[in-house]
Amino acid sequence: MAAGLASLTPQQREIAMLAAQGLTNKQIGQRLFLSPRTVANHLYQLFPKLGVASRAALRDALSTPGTLESNDSIQAPS
């Protein structure tokens, strides 16, 4: 999983973190000034990189201790 996170672009990592927190594509798009369809496309691209098939699996994968060791500075915008 950690290798998967390293393969993501900074924007994909941010979108993954927001999606894992339960935000919808529309909400993520509003925060990042992207269309909901662009958010969906990023999620479609990053799911296989992380070996997940759903938002629930994404949430579980990102909440696993040690998953963000090299990326612990990533935080959702407030």
Side-chain angles (χ1 to χ4, degrees), residues 8-53:
L8 300 181
T9 67
Q11 189 166 46
Q12 287 175 333
R13 281 194 297 271
E14 190 167 13
I15 289 169
M17 296 300 294
L18 293 171
Q21 292 174 15
L23 275 68
T24 65
N25 290 358
K26 183 176 179 179
Q27 292 168 325
I28 295 168
Q30 288 172 338
R31 286 192 183 196
L32 302 180
F33 303 102
L34 300 170
S35 77
R37 190 161 178 143
T38 299
V39 172
N41 186 48
H42 280 297
L43 289 169
Y44 178 79
Q45 292 175 356
L46 69 85
F47 276 16
K49 290 181 181 181
L50 299 180
V52 299

Side-chain angles (χ1 to χ4, degrees), residues 1-2 4-6 8 12-22 43 46-47 49-52 54-69 71-72 74:
M1 171 55 110
L5 280 174
L8 300 181
Q12 287 175 333
R13 281 194 297 271
E14 190 167 13
I15 289 169
M17 296 300 294
L18 293 171
Q21 292 174 15
L43 289 169
L46 69 85
F47 276 16
K49 290 181 181 181
L50 299 180
V52 299
S54 68
R55 286 175 184 253
L58 177 65
R59 181 196 64 229
D60 294 344
L62 293 181
S63 66
T64 303
T67 301
L68 296 176
E69 287 173 2
N71 297 307
D72 51 12
I74 299 172

